[in-house]
């Protein structure tokens, strides 16, 4: 009787080896990848006398461990995005095809589902244009941020004179790569699917619209308008066809009482002021759609625009008039050499503060008085009464 049971056990062991061989053939790609935890003792060449570690059971246990390790890296599913902020890498899991492998053992237990180790889908070319990409051994796509030397953001400054003047601030060496970090921030926001305003081509419209040699007035704003089709890179200004914002309405009211003959237009498009030599500069040059001040701290823009103000004060050949409306803008006064330039301060024209000193401030006529004293042509504040919708 003992011999008969022994023979039966041997026949069962041999029969279980066939499905193990089937699994090994279906997972050739996986087996080619080194597995640090696998020791030589897991080889299929182990003695059949070790009943507790028969090849079929050992392989099933290894597959369970391997699949569990792949699916639960850092407690996440393979399909979950992984954000490695400390390494400035954005990790996105690549979708993989799943297939089932059924393993028959002495207890007829089904084998776990295991991800296919097939080829990963190609990385879209649109990602490769802004970041270097690779795929690691776990089929996770790693998208590195743009290299520090990439200058697509600085290239949006189309005016050769402004580009040359601002080059010390857009260089990789400025503040240990501060401008490059702004660019990476914007790349990251768009990679997350966020809408960034104004459109990229208009981010530096304040510089591109203002003739460098004719610069005479600097008007400081705070944050771009955050609704779609409003902001176009000039503070306080909106695109044609957009209702006039409340602050700009109050500016028109003050202009009507301060500048003889001024007529308020039906639009809020202030492009003609910029073209006369007014730099209409927001402290923060971008914003997430429908989220006011969303880029004011995280982006690094204010370090850049503060440096622009100080650079203008120290190095622009013209004497300038700076218009600082509201407490936020007035904090920039310390960046300006008031011995060389004129600073005109006033309450902000917002409806929240206009009644506390905006009306009757005569800041527009005061600006023209200062310009004449410097030898500049005064600003022509009258805007076209109508403009064509873009």
């Amino acid at each position: 009787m003992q011999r008969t049971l022994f023979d039966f056990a041997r026949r069962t062991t041999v029969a279980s080896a066939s499905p193990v061989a089937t699994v090994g053939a279906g997972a050739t790609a996986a087996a080619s990848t080194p597995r640090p935890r696998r020791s030589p003792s897991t080889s299929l060449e182990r003695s059949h006398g070790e009943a507790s570690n028969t090849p079929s059971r050992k392989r099933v246990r290894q597959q369970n461990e391997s699949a569990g390790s792949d699916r639960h890296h850092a407690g996440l599913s393979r399909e979950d995005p992984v954000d490695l902020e400390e390494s400035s890498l954005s990790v996105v899991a690549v979708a993989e095809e799943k297939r089932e492998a059924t393993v028959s053992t002495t207890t007829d237990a089904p084998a776990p589902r295991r991800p296919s180790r097939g080829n990963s889908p190609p990385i879209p070319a649109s990602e490769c244009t802004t970041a270097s990409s690779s795929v690691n051994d776990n089929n996770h796509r790693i998208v590195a941020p743009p290299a520090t030397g990439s200058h697509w953001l600085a290239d949006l400054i189309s005016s050769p004179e402004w580009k040359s003047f601002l080059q010390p601030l857009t260089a990789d060496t400025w503040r240990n790569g501060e401008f490059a970090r702004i660019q990476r921030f914007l790349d990251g926001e768009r990679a997350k699917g966020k809408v960034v305003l104004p459109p990229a081509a208009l981010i530096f419209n304040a510089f591109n619209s203002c003739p460098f040699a004719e610069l005479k007035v600097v008007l400081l704003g705070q944050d771009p308008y955050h609704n779609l089709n409003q902001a176009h890179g000039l503070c306080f200004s909106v695109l044609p066809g957009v209702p006039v914002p409340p602050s700009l309405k109050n500016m028109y009211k003050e202009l009507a009482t301060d500048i003889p003959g001024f007529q308020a237009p039906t639009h809020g498009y202030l492009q003609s002021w910029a073209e006369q030599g007014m730099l209409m500069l927001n402290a923060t040059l971008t914003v997430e759609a429908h989220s006011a001040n969303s880029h004011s701290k995280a982006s690094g823009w204010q370090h850049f625009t503060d440096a622009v103000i100080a650079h203008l004060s120290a190095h622009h050949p013209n004497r300038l008039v700076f218009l600082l409306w509201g407490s936020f803008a007035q904090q920039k006064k310390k960046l300006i050499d008031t011995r060389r330039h004129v600073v005109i301060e006033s309450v902000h024209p917002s409806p929240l503060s206009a009644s506390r000193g905006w009306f009757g401030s005569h800041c527009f006529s005061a600006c023209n008085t200062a310009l004449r004293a410097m030898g500049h042509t005064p600003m022509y504040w009258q805007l076209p009464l109508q403009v064509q919708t873009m």
Side-chain angles (χ1 to χ4, degrees):
M1 177 63 71
Q2 292 178 347
R3 185 174 182 178
T4 301
L5 291 175
F6 178 76
D7 290 342
F8 177 78
R10 290 192 61 186
R11 284 195 300 271
T12 305
T13 303
V14 173
S16 66
S18 177
V20 171
T22 302
V23 174
T28 302
S32 64
T33 303
R35 299 186 181 278
R37 291 190 297 273
R38 180 177 297 172
S39 65
S41 63
T42 64
S43 171
L44 292 177
E45 298 177 356
R46 290 180 58 89
S47 170
H48 290 296
E50 296 177 12
S52 62
N53 287 319
T54 60
S56 59
R57 293 179 181 178
K58 191 71 172 182
R59 179 58 60 90
V60 170
R61 184 164 63 254
Q62 290 169 355
Q63 288 173 345
N64 283 334
E65 293 174 355
S66 175
S69 174
D70 286 343
R71 292 191 186 99
H72 299 287
H73 173 69
L76 297 175
S77 166
R78 287 180 63 85
E79 282 70 35
D80 288 340
V82 182
D83 185 13
L84 304 180
E85 295 180 352
E86 66 276 8
S87 62
S88 299
L89 295 178
S90 172
V91 182
V92 182
V94 176
E96 296 184 317
E97 296 181 354
K98 301 290 184 68
R99 69 186 178 192
E100 297 182 359
T102 304
V103 180
S104 298
T105 66
T106 55
T107 58
D108 295 329
R113 292 185 179 180
R114 190 174 186 280
S116 171
R117 287 287 184 175
N119 293 331
S120 303
I123 299 173
S126 59
E127 292 184 8
C128 298
T129 58
T130 57
S132 58
S133 303
S134 63
V135 178
N136 69 2
D137 291 339
N138 291 325
N139 281 339
H140 282 174
R141 184 183 304 160
I142 299 178
V143 183
T148 304
S150 177
H151 290 87
W152 71 261
L153 185 59
D155 287 343
L156 297 177
I157 305 174
S158 60
S159 165
E161 294 85 359
W162 277 112
K163 192 167 190 175
S164 175
F165 182 76
L166 297 174
Q167 194 278 332
L169 310 183
T170 60
D172 293 339
T173 55
W174 179 67
R175 289 176 61 98
N176 296 319
E178 180 74 21
F179 192 81
R181 283 192 288 273
I182 298 174
Q183 177 175 291
R184 288 198 295 271
F185 170 81
L186 296 177
D187 285 335
E189 292 296 283
R190 292 191 172 99
K192 296 173 185 175
K194 297 181 179 180
V195 177
V196 177
L197 301 175
L202 296 176
I203 290 175
F204 293 112
N205 192 35
F207 300 101
N208 296 332
S209 297
C210 176
F212 177 82
E214 299 175 26
L215 177 65
K216 53 190 176 185
V217 180
V218 179
L219 173 61
L220 298 182
Q222 184 170 351
D223 194 55
Y225 294 112
H226 56 83
N227 288 328
L228 299 177
N229 302 316
Q230 285 186 313
H232 64 111
L234 305 182
C235 65
F236 295 100
S237 181
V238 293
L239 288 168
V242 177
V244 179
S247 293
L248 188 50
K249 287 182 178 180
N250 286 339
M251 290 166 61
Y252 289 167
K253 290 179 182 179
E254 177 61 18
L255 278 163
T257 60
D258 189 25
I259 303 298
F262 178 85
Q263 299 182 53
T266 58
H267 60 85
Y269 190 56
L270 308 181
Q271 184 74 21
S272 67
W273 289 0
E275 293 171 357
Q276 293 179 58
M278 175 184 282
L279 181 65
M280 305 175 68
L281 184 66
N282 275 316
T284 303
L285 299 188
T286 59
V287 67
E288 180 186 345
H290 313 301
S291 182
N293 290 307
S294 51
H295 291 183
S296 60
K297 294 182 180 179
S299 65
W301 274 125
Q302 291 192 25
H303 294 301
F304 173 74
T305 55
D306 281 357
V308 168
I309 295 168
H311 195 51
L312 286 170
S313 176
H315 300 293
H316 197 281
N318 298 344
R319 296 179 63 199
L320 306 172
V321 175
F322 288 84
L323 300 179
L324 310 183
W325 298 343
S327 60
F328 178 85
Q330 289 163 12
Q331 295 174 11
K332 313 298 181 181
K333 185 177 180 179
K334 61 181 180 291
L335 304 171
I336 303 167
D337 182 358
T338 55
R339 297 168 298 179
R340 181 169 180 250
H341 307 287
V342 173
V343 174
I344 299 176
E345 301 176 68
S346 175
V347 171
H348 195 279
S350 165
L352 300 176
S353 58
S355 60
R356 299 198 297 268
W358 169 254
F359 297 116
S361 62
H362 303 290
C363 58
F364 300 102
S365 58
C367 176
N368 278 352
T369 298
L371 290 174
R372 291 189 186 94
M374 293 177 176
H376 293 301
T377 302
M379 286 289 300
Y380 181 69
W381 297 108
Q382 181 61 56
L383 296 160
L385 295 181
Q386 294 182 349
V387 292
Q388 184 176 358
T389 302
M390 294 182 178

